[in-house]
Amino acid sequence: MTRRIRDCRRCGRAVGKPDRDLCARCHWAASHAPVTHPCPRCGVDRVLQPDTGRCVRCSRTCRQCQAPVLFVDRDLCKECLRRQRRDADRADCPRCSKRRILRPATGLCGSCSHPGRPPNPDTACVDCGRVTRLTGAGRCRSCWERSPHRITVRAANLAEALADPPNWLGTFAAYLVGRHHPSRACAMLTRLGKHLTDEHPTHPQALLGAVADDVPLARALEDFLTASKLALPPDRDERRAAARRQSRIDAVPAPLRPAVTGFAEHLVAGRDRARRAGTRPRGHTTLEARLTAVRDFAQFLTARRCKTDWATADVGDIEAFLHAHPGRRASYLTGLRQFCRYALRRRLLLIDPTAGVQAPQTMAFRGPTLPVDRQRELFRRWSTDPEVHPHEAFVGLAALLHGATTQELQHLTDDDIDHEQHRIRLGRRPQPTPLDPWTWTALQRCLQHRKNLGSNNAHVLITMQTKATRAAASDSYVKQTLREVGIQPRILRSTRLVDLIGTVDAKLVAAAYGMTSEAVIAYLSDHVDFARLPNP
Ligand SMILES: [Zn+2]
Ligand SMILES: [Zn+2]
Ligand SMILES: [Zn+2]
Ligand SMILES: [Zn+2]
Ligand SMILES: [Zn+2]
């Protein structure tokens, strides 16, 4: 017998142990109850199945759509079962190949059993003359789809639908004709219409910002609006340069970062000041090189020297850092020197650790050039192999034989080509460059390639992105044209210049290539003209 101390909390039987409020039965039941958790799918407290992690009901799923199945002996959900039953009496129609109920009389689906009346023999498509069903504007389906009149019609409809249509809409439609497939152009106009209605800005400049995410529309609209002087081209270079600077700042270890952020702002402010004052502002690459030097030094300081404060950096750190990167010594030291001067003014440093450090620098050209046999091999490839992409052959030959820069080739347009005398005007060279037969052939192939793409762009080198616009191909595209042979065009140009300056008067080269004499002299270093030495 249990001596009753109190009543059980659940059933009212006697509880005999002083530290419990459940009777012996309820205590056993409570301690042996199955462990339940809320099921992740239905949320009810249940025993979860170890293999699925759900309750037993939610663990039973349809084998086709994974929906829960209520019945124990089924593996398909209600919807899938219904679909399967419905599909049982269907088959592929031999005419339209859709899955339909076939009629026993014809062996075809319902709509194929009644093909309708034949096309009217008196009305032929106005474009191709075929007698078939007409889709619209007197044209068969394929002619209607590629008929440019749709663009004008769509623009007119859009202008009707808008409360305040922009007055350039008609001209924009005319601009799209011939540049884009009518279906794409119509889709573009529809998307443009959405931007014009939803209380968005309709000013051309603001519109360019609003459509920036829709790349094809943004590209076409930007080309049109800037060409018709309705908007200024967006400053992409500036934005990209800012992003590149930020990525360098972000790579600096956190304790050292605020000073570098300030330094970057200081550099940009100096650049803006120089631009306003009309003196020569530093280029983006220069600013980035300075920040790269500071970033690498900051990483070196934290990782190798275990210092997290600029004030503790000393000459030893600078020397060790420069010693670890002998190839970039001069460039790194310039960046660090500028940073230290800045930090000194802001009291981040108390002494200038770069003061006594030297980096001997030679202005001579030390870049790579190609040996003669490799040049011959490349020349053969570009002048004889018809499989080579026309852009590769032209860029390669123009750089190898005429020392053309990528920038000169990038901006080469129809106006620069003299078809009678086989000459082209390259960049800022004072005289047109006469082309040899092989380069001229490659140029003709480029023009044919452009014609095949149906482009109106005046630039010789066009890409799929620029073919419908007036823009030049991107800088990186031209640099990448020779990736098949694994070199950059500038190596070909330096090869040509080194070769030429060694054999011809440097002044003539400077005049012919539109270079300054200092730039030419850099290629002349270490070259000894043996004919001018005193003969023994
Ligand atoms: Zn109990
Ligand atoms: Zn469940
Ligand atoms: Zn299902
Ligand atoms: Zn059919
Ligand atoms: Zn037709």
Side-chain angles (χ1 to χ4, degrees), residues 43-84:
V44 179
D45 262 347
R46 283 169 183 275
V47 179
L48 301 187
Q49 302 297 108
D51 50 341
T52 57
R54 296 170 171 185
C55 72
V56 67
R57 248 173 94 170
C58 295
S59 302
R60 222 164 27 233
T61 52
C62 168
R63 74 179 141 87
Q64 283 184 4
C65 70
Q66 305 299 317
V69 178
L70 206 60
F71 297 96
V72 180
D73 53 346
R74 248 192 228 162
D75 58 352
L76 280 179
C77 71
K78 196 170 63 179
E79 282 301 315
C80 291
L81 193 69
R82 189 180 292 167
R83 208 173 296 135
Q84 199 188 40

Side-chain angles (χ1 to χ4, degrees), residues 137-185:
R139 292 177 172 88
C140 69
R141 174 143 212 102
S142 63
C143 290
W144 180 80
E145 264 176 2
R146 65 180 125 90
S147 164
H149 85 282
R150 291 170 60 203
I151 305 176
T152 332
V153 171
R154 179 68 64 97
N157 288 345
L158 180 60
E160 264 321 293
L162 293 176
D164 181 21
N167 51 9
W168 45 262
L169 200 56
T171 353
F172 180 53
Y175 163 86
L176 290 177
V177 171
R179 285 191 154 84
H180 294 272
H181 188 276
S183 297
R184 276 163 197 269

Side-chain angles (χ1 to χ4, degrees), residues 8-13 15 21-27:
C8 169
R9 181 160 56 80
R10 276 197 201 157
C11 66
R13 281 198 189 88
V15 176
D21 55 355
L22 290 177
C23 69
R25 279 186 186 207
C26 293
H27 177 74

Side-chain angles (χ1 to χ4, degrees), residues 245-284:
R245 282 197 299 272
Q246 192 56 44
S247 79
R248 281 167 178 74
I249 294 172
D250 291 343
V252 173
L256 303 176
R257 200 176 302 150
V260 183
T261 312
F263 178 54
E265 280 162 12
H266 166 76
L267 288 177
V268 174
R271 182 184 141 81
D272 289 346
R273 208 163 41 237
R275 218 158 33 170
R276 273 198 303 277
T279 52
R280 299 188 60 172
R282 289 200 182 98
H284 286 306

Side-chain angles (χ1 to χ4, degrees), residues 213-269:
D213 288 340
D214 185 346
V215 177
L217 175 61
R219 197 177 283 139
L221 206 58
E222 182 192 320
D223 190 47
F224 166 74
L225 290 176
T226 50
S228 42
K229 301 203 169 39
L230 289 166
L232 294 168
D235 208 350
R236 265 197 216 100
D237 287 350
E238 206 64 40
R239 241 181 294 156
R240 283 188 197 140
R244 288 197 298 268
R245 282 197 299 272
Q246 192 56 44
S247 79
R248 281 167 178 74
I249 294 172
D250 291 343
V252 173
L256 303 176
R257 200 176 302 150
V260 183
T261 312
F263 178 54
E265 280 162 12
H266 166 76
L267 288 177
V268 174

